[in-house]
Coordinates of all heavy atoms in Angstrom, one line a residue:
T1 N 37.8 51.2 -141.4 CA 38.5 51.1 -140.1 C 39.6 52.2 -140.2 O 40.5 52.1 -141.0 CB 39.1 49.7 -139.9 OG1 38.1 48.8 -139.9 CG2 39.9 49.7 -138.6
L2 N 39.5 53.1 -139.3 CA 40.5 54.2 -139.3 C 41.9 53.7 -138.8 O 41.9 53.0 -137.8 CB 40.0 55.4 -138.3 CG 38.7 56.1 -138.8 CD1 38.4 57.1 -137.7 CD2 38.9 56.7 -140.1
P3 N 42.9 54.1 -139.5 CA 44.3 53.7 -139.0 C 44.6 54.3 -137.7 O 44.2 55.4 -137.3 CB 45.2 54.3 -140.1 CG 44.3 54.5 -141.3 CD 43.0 54.8 -140.7
M4 N 45.2 53.5 -136.8 CA 45.6 53.9 -135.5 C 46.8 54.8 -135.5 O 47.8 54.6 -136.2 CB 45.8 52.7 -134.6 CG 44.6 51.9 -134.3 SD 45.0 50.5 -133.2 CE 45.5 51.3 -131.7
N5 N 46.7 55.9 -134.7 CA 47.8 56.8 -134.6 C 48.6 56.6 -133.2 O 48.0 56.0 -132.3 CB 47.3 58.2 -134.6 CG 46.4 58.5 -135.8 OD1 45.3 58.8 -135.7 ND2 47.0 58.3 -137.0
P6 N 49.8 57.0 -133.1 CA 50.5 56.8 -131.9 C 49.8 57.5 -130.7 O 49.1 58.5 -130.8 CB 51.9 57.5 -132.1 CG 52.0 57.5 -133.6 CD 50.7 57.6 -134.2
S7 N 49.9 56.9 -129.5 CA 49.2 57.4 -128.3 C 49.9 58.6 -127.8 O 51.0 59.0 -128.3 CB 49.2 56.3 -127.2 OG 50.5 55.9 -127.0
K8 N 49.3 59.3 -126.9 CA 49.8 60.6 -126.4 C 51.1 60.5 -125.8 O 51.9 61.5 -125.7 CB 48.8 61.2 -125.5 CG 48.6 60.4 -124.2 CD 47.5 61.1 -123.3 CE 47.3 60.3 -122.0 NZ 46.3 60.9 -121.1
E9 N 51.5 59.3 -125.3 CA 52.8 59.2 -124.6 C 54.0 59.5 -125.6 O 55.1 59.9 -125.2 CB 53.0 57.8 -124.0 CG 52.2 57.5 -122.8 CD 50.8 57.2 -123.1 OE1 50.5 57.0 -124.3 OE2 50.0 57.0 -122.2
F10 N 53.7 59.3 -126.9 CA 54.8 59.5 -127.9 C 54.8 60.9 -128.4 O 55.8 61.3 -129.1 CB 54.6 58.5 -129.1 CG 54.8 57.1 -128.7 CD1 53.8 56.3 -128.2 CD2 56.1 56.6 -128.9 CE1 54.0 55.0 -127.9 CE2 56.3 55.2 -128.5 CZ 55.3 54.5 -128.0
H11 N 53.8 61.8 -128.1 CA 53.8 63.2 -128.5 C 54.7 64.0 -127.5 O 54.7 63.7 -126.3 CB 52.4 63.7 -128.5 CG 51.6 63.2 -129.6 ND1 51.0 61.9 -129.6 CD2 51.2 63.7 -130.8 CE1 50.3 61.7 -130.7 NE2 50.4 62.8 -131.4
L12 N 55.4 64.9 -128.1 CA 56.3 65.7 -127.3 C 55.5 66.7 -126.4 O 54.4 67.2 -126.9 CB 57.3 66.5 -128.1 CG 58.3 65.8 -128.9 CD1 59.2 66.7 -129.7 CD2 59.1 64.8 -128.0
S13 N 55.9 66.9 -125.2 CA 55.2 67.9 -124.4 C 55.5 69.3 -124.9 O 56.4 69.5 -125.8 CB 55.7 67.8 -123.0 OG 57.1 68.1 -122.9
Y14 N 54.8 70.3 -124.4 CA 55.0 71.7 -124.9 C 56.4 72.2 -124.6 O 57.0 72.8 -125.4 CB 54.0 72.6 -124.2 CG 54.0 74.0 -124.6 CD1 53.5 74.4 -125.9 CD2 54.6 75.0 -123.8 CE1 53.6 75.8 -126.3 CE2 54.7 76.3 -124.2 CZ 54.2 76.7 -125.5 OH 54.3 78.0 -125.9
S15 N 56.9 71.8 -123.4 CA 58.3 72.3 -123.1 C 59.3 71.6 -124.0 O 60.3 72.2 -124.4 CB 58.6 71.9 -121.6 OG 58.5 70.5 -121.4
D16 N 59.1 70.3 -124.3 CA 60.1 69.6 -125.2 C 60.0 70.2 -126.6 O 61.0 70.3 -127.3 CB 59.8 68.1 -125.3 CG 60.1 67.4 -124.0 OD1 61.0 67.9 -123.3 OD2 59.5 66.3 -123.7
K17 N 58.8 70.6 -127.1 CA 58.7 71.2 -128.4 C 59.5 72.5 -128.4 O 60.2 72.9 -129.4 CB 57.2 71.5 -128.7 CG 56.5 70.2 -129.0 CD 55.0 70.5 -129.4 CE 54.2 69.3 -129.6 NZ 52.8 69.6 -129.9
E18 N 59.3 73.3 -127.3 CA 60.1 74.6 -127.3 C 61.6 74.4 -127.3 O 62.3 75.1 -127.9 CB 59.6 75.4 -126.0 CG 58.2 76.0 -126.2 CD 57.9 77.0 -125.0 OE1 58.5 76.8 -123.9 OE2 57.2 77.9 -125.2
S19 N 62.0 73.4 -126.5 CA 63.4 73.1 -126.4 C 63.9 72.6 -127.7 O 65.1 73.0 -128.1 CB 63.7 72.0 -125.3 OG 63.2 72.4 -124.1
L20 N 63.2 71.8 -128.5 CA 63.6 71.4 -129.8 C 63.7 72.5 -130.8 O 64.6 72.5 -131.6 CB 62.6 70.3 -130.3 CG 63.1 69.3 -131.3 CD1 64.2 68.5 -130.8 CD2 61.9 68.4 -131.8
E21 N 62.8 73.5 -130.7 CA 62.8 74.6 -131.6 C 64.0 75.6 -131.3 O 64.6 76.2 -132.2 CB 61.5 75.4 -131.5 CG 60.3 74.6 -132.1 CD 59.0 75.3 -131.9 OE1 59.0 76.4 -131.3 OE2 58.0 74.8 -132.4
R22 N 64.3 75.7 -130.0 CA 65.4 76.5 -129.6 C 66.8 76.0 -129.9 O 67.7 76.7 -130.3 CB 65.4 76.8 -128.1 CG 64.2 77.7 -127.7 CD 64.5 78.3 -126.3 NE 64.7 77.2 -125.3 CZ 63.8 76.7 -124.5 NH1 62.5 77.1 -124.6 NH2 64.0 75.7 -123.7
E23 N 66.9 74.7 -129.8 CA 68.2 74.1 -130.0 C 68.6 74.0 -131.5 O 67.7 73.8 -132.4 CB 68.2 72.6 -129.5 CG 68.0 72.5 -128.0 CD 69.2 73.1 -127.2 OE1 70.2 73.3 -127.8 OE2 69.0 73.3 -126.0
P24 N 69.8 74.2 -131.8 CA 70.3 74.1 -133.2 C 70.2 72.6 -133.7 O 70.3 71.7 -132.8 CB 71.7 74.6 -133.2 CG 72.2 74.4 -131.8 CD 71.0 74.6 -130.9
R25 N 70.0 72.4 -134.9 CA 69.9 71.0 -135.4 C 71.2 70.3 -135.2 O 72.3 70.8 -135.5 CB 69.6 71.0 -136.9 CG 68.2 71.6 -137.2 CD 67.9 71.5 -138.7 NE 67.7 70.1 -139.1 CZ 66.6 69.4 -139.0 NH1 65.5 70.0 -138.5 NH2 66.5 68.2 -139.4
G26 N 71.1 69.1 -134.7 CA 72.3 68.3 -134.4 C 72.2 67.5 -133.1 O 71.1 67.1 -132.7

């Protein structure tokens, strides 16, 4: 039985990923 992974609603969108990479940590 394969372990279940989080559904797509919990994955960041492409724009959120870019924003997260641009912003400094904090």
